[in-house]
Amino acid sequence: MENLLLQVFNGLVNGAFFALLSLGLAVIFGMLRVVNFMHGALYMLGAFATYLLGTSAGVSFWWALVLAPLAVAAVGIVLERLFLRRLYDVDPLYNLLLTFGLTLVLQDTMRLRFGIQGVPYSAPSLLKGAIVWGNLLFPTYRLFVLGFSVLICLLTWWVIEWTRVGMIVRAATENPGLTRALGIDVDRWVPPVFAFGVALAALAGVLAAPMRNVSPLMGADLIVTTFAIVVIGGLGSILGSVVTGFLVGVIVALGAVYYPPVSNTLVFVLMAIILLLRPAGLFGSLE
Amino acid sequence: MLQVEGLQAWYGESQVLHGVDLEIHDGQIVTLIGRNGAGKTTTIRSIMGIHRQKRGRLILDGVDLAALPPQRIARLGVGYVQDDRGIYSGLTVHENLVLPPVVSPDGWDLDKIYDAFPPLRARARQPGTKLSGGEQQMLAIARVLRMGAKLLLLDEPTEGLAPILVRRVGEILREIKAHHLTVLLVEQNLRFAVTVADHHYLIVNGRTVESLSNEEVERREQELLEYLGV
Ligand SMILES: Nc1ncnc2c1ncn2[C@@H]1O[C@H](COP(=O)(O)OP(=O)(O)OP(=O)(O)O)[C@@H](O)[C@H]1O
Ligand SMILES: [Mg+2]
């Protein structure tokens, strides 16, 4: 029982990363109709930015939580303006291919500089240690990751549901053409929304830096599962991506304990079942 | 005043508008009548700037619309009500109303809108698409009134509505006219058209072939009805 509780906790922490990543993907897909394959690489850049800010400028983890996402979002905007926007009018497949290519470029650039092994980064002293609860030991840093991720997801949900910008994003996600015809310059919102999605990926990267090895391929492992999550949750569904992110984190963690051989395939089995039963995903709707 | 001259439009290689000419004076309600597939929606979408593959003159109060994107045209005071009403399911009724920017001081404020369309007030917090078809039509029209549009492009607002709701749309159109707004109305229902409009254009295979007054429509009703295939 206690073991189960601990596994659920670890699953939720993993889910916290999935939720941030798939939330960013969902926001970007909704507004741009782009499947951003480089999302994992941007997550990786977030982790490296944290490391670099720390080693070269002495920037603390806390400041990196703010600065690294901003820096990576700036990179994202440059890539969007330089490359992605040229392909909005053609088949979405082109942008998938483009972002796949950019992923390889970003990964190899980091590999040239840092090698494949990666670099270490340690958690701030405030978050070291663990909190004991009965017989259970919850590492402080993991608790922080979970809480912070939930907070960011709630904040994002609030912005999307309750602000004018969020309303425009929802309208443009549902029907970009009509939204333009109602006087809204949808294209003006594309770079900031893209930057926001990128910043979420980078933020996940910052949170990952003290917990996982900071390495050029750290995002590659994650991105495929994240895509599956977005599909399960329902393409472009904000709520779906977050809930499914946490759910899949838990499923993978439990799978790893009770039947390790399938733990990684479990997500895709789940995806296949969901697609058969609800083609639009758990929270999606087919038009 | 809206002037459309020699409007042609294409979908890829296939040309669907071959010369649409029409003129709408301020404060007028003008209908565009024609069979299914004649090109009425394409005409409206071309004026609105949504349809881009086009050629011809589109002038609104001296401003050339032809090269402008839809959001600019909307901000000039053109309100678009598309044929499927275009209500967002992801937005509440209230959000559907306040989504477009207010582009002129003549825009109706929310109280005025809700007084004119009471069902919208009662269901303001519900998703837009939870409304009935008739209520969605009210919402789509209310939305462009709140925006302060001076020219309304209404694509078949009575389609699929029960007779009582068609009458309600008629009342709304008369109220719009009393506010001295201008309307281009796509309409298949001739009997309804003559009760609300000042003038009519018949569009056949992507061409405006006749310009008709109410008297002419009434006199030639039988012929026109047969032509429209109703
Ligand atoms: N997206 C499209 N691609 C290709 N052809 C199209 C497209 N939309 C419309 N058409 C064609 O263009 C012509 C005009 O269509 P349009 O929708 O403007 O007619 P309409 O008068 O509004 O008809 P309805 O009464 O059915 O609404 C039709 O022949 C139609 O088949
Ligand atoms: Mg039509």
Side-chain angles (χ1 to χ4, degrees):
Chain A
M1 184 59 207
E2 279 167 359
N3 190 27
L4 180 73
L5 209 65
L6 211 56
Q7 286 316 316
V8 170
F9 171 71
N10 283 330
L12 286 173
V13 173
N14 281 340
F17 292 98
F18 289 139
L20 287 175
L21 285 166
S22 56
L23 178 58
L25 265 185
V27 170
I28 290 173
F29 179 80
M31 191 78 175
L32 285 75
R33 293 283 181 267
V34 167
V35 179
N36 183 30
F37 202 93
M38 62 178 173
H39 216 64
L42 295 164
Y43 158 85
M44 175 270 292
L45 284 189
F48 269 106
T50 308
Y51 167 79
L52 285 171
L53 283 167
T55 50
S56 65
V59 173
S60 72
F61 171 79
W62 302 106
W63 276 106
L65 270 178
V66 179
L67 295 179
L70 285 178
V72 179
V75 172
I77 289 200
V78 169
L79 293 176
E80 193 272 332
R81 288 289 95 182
L82 276 181
F83 303 113
L84 272 74
R85 81 182 161 97
R86 296 175 200 282
L87 299 175
Y88 292 150
D89 290 336
V90 295
D91 194 315
L93 203 56
Y94 286 92
N95 252 325
L96 183 68
L97 286 174
L98 171 73
T99 51
F100 179 67
L102 288 172
T103 302
L104 298 181
V105 172
L106 292 174
Q107 281 174 357
D108 278 359
T109 310
M110 300 319 271
R111 182 148 68 181
L112 271 180
R113 176 74 180 69
F114 299 99
I116 195 72
Q117 288 303 329
V119 294
Y121 186 86
S122 59
S125 45
L126 188 66
L127 297 179
K128 286 191 173 137
I131 286 170
V132 184
W133 191 62
N135 287 332
L136 296 174
L137 208 70
F138 295 104
T140 313
Y141 186 75
R142 287 176 172 249
L143 280 168
F144 169 77
V145 167
L146 183 54
F148 196 71
S149 161
V150 168
L151 184 74
I152 296 291
C153 290
L154 282 175
L155 220 64
T156 305
W157 171 82
W158 181 83
V159 168
I160 289 178
E161 285 301 315
W162 298 104
T163 66
R164 176 149 184 94
V165 182
M167 183 170 85
I168 289 173
V169 170
R170 274 178 289 141
T173 297
E174 188 170 334
N175 191 339
L178 175 64
T179 306
R180 289 191 184 93
L182 291 174
I184 288 160
D185 192 350
V186 172
D187 305 320
R188 187 161 69 89
W189 291 101
V190 163
V193 169
F194 184 71
F196 179 75
V198 170
L200 286 178
L203 183 66
V206 180
L207 292 174
M211 231 178 93
R212 298 170 175 182
N213 188 27
V214 178
S215 76
L217 293 181
M218 65 190 286
D221 308 334
L222 224 55
I223 194 65
V224 182
T225 308
T226 307
F227 276 134
I229 289 167
V230 172
V231 172
I232 294 171
L235 270 185
S237 163
I238 303 297
L239 182 65
S241 61
V242 172
V243 172
T244 314
F246 284 105
L247 191 72
V248 165
V250 173
I251 289 176
V252 172
L254 293 183
V257 176
Y258 293 105
Y259 195 58
V262 298
S263 116
N264 283 317
T265 10
L266 220 50
V267 183
F268 300 97
V269 174
L270 184 66
M271 180 171 87
I273 294 171
I274 296 288
L275 284 182
L276 281 173
L277 297 179
R278 277 186 68 93
L282 285 178
F283 292 81
S285 57
L286 287 181
E287 276 132 41
Chain B
M1 182 169 100
L2 176 74
Q3 290 160 283
V4 175
E5 272 174 44
L7 177 63
Q8 296 176 284
W10 290 259
Y11 288 99
E13 297 284 289
S14 88
Q15 185 169 5
V16 299
L17 297 186
H18 300 268
V20 170
D21 301 285
L22 43 96
E23 208 172 271
I24 312 176
H25 295 277
D26 291 350
Q28 268 193 332
I29 297 184
V30 168
T31 68
L32 201 53
I33 51 181
R35 281 181 184 231
N36 290 342
K40 306 178 296 293
T41 296
T42 308
T43 301
I44 288 212
R45 291 172 69 86
S46 299
I47 297 170
M48 196 63 234
I50 301 166
H51 190 77
R52 307 258 296 276
Q53 264 192 297
K54 65 189 173 202
R55 197 179 288 161
R57 272 165 57 82
L58 299 165
I59 311 287
L60 176 68
D61 296 334
V63 181
D64 186 356
L65 303 182
L68 297 182
Q71 65 270 20
R72 293 277 305 283
I73 294 174
R75 281 167 186 267
L76 290 172
V78 183
Y80 174 55
V81 174
Q82 70 177 23
D83 47 8
D84 69 355
R85 282 130 209 186
I87 300 306
Y88 297 92
S89 62
L91 271 61
T92 63
V93 169
H94 174 261
E95 287 176 324
N96 266 282
L97 273 176
V98 300
L99 176 70
V102 174
V103 299
S104 110
D106 303 330
W108 296 22
D109 62 34
L110 276 177
D111 276 335
K112 185 170 175 186
I113 294 275
Y114 284 142
D115 288 343
F117 307 97
L120 300 186
R121 191 198 301 268
R123 314 185 67 174
R125 300 282 151 212
Q126 296 184 14
T129 44
K130 283 267 149 64
L131 299 180
S132 70
E135 288 166 340
Q136 287 190 32
Q137 191 63 59
M138 309 291 149
L139 176 55
I141 296 174
R143 176 162 69 187
V144 292
L145 292 175
R146 182 190 162 276
M147 192 179 163
K150 60 184 177 188
L151 168 65
L152 273 55
L153 306 177
L154 309 181
D155 199 345
E156 304 207 44
T158 61
E159 195 197 8
L161 295 188
I164 180 160
L165 290 168
V166 174
R167 275 203 294 283
R168 179 76 186 107
V169 172
E171 283 167 30
I172 294 167
L173 283 168
R174 276 183 287 275
E175 179 157 359
I176 288 172
K177 194 170 158 72
H179 282 78
H180 208 69
L181 301 177
T182 311
V183 179
L184 176 57
L185 173 70
V186 169
E187 189 51 68
Q188 302 264 26
N189 182 342
L190 275 186
R191 297 231 169 90
F192 174 74
V194 292
T195 64
V196 293
D198 303 292
H199 201 82
H200 312 269
Y201 287 96
L202 177 64
I203 178 168
V204 176
N205 293 333
R207 244 183 221 100
T208 38
V209 293
E210 303 221 41
S211 163
L212 305 153
S213 67
N214 278 333
E215 295 70 44
E216 284 172 296
V217 169
E218 276 169 359
R219 184 154 45 78
R220 292 168 56 190
E221 184 177 318
Q222 218 42 48
E223 175 200 345
L224 290 169
L225 282 178
E226 260 165 47
Y227 177 75
L228 292 175
V230 250

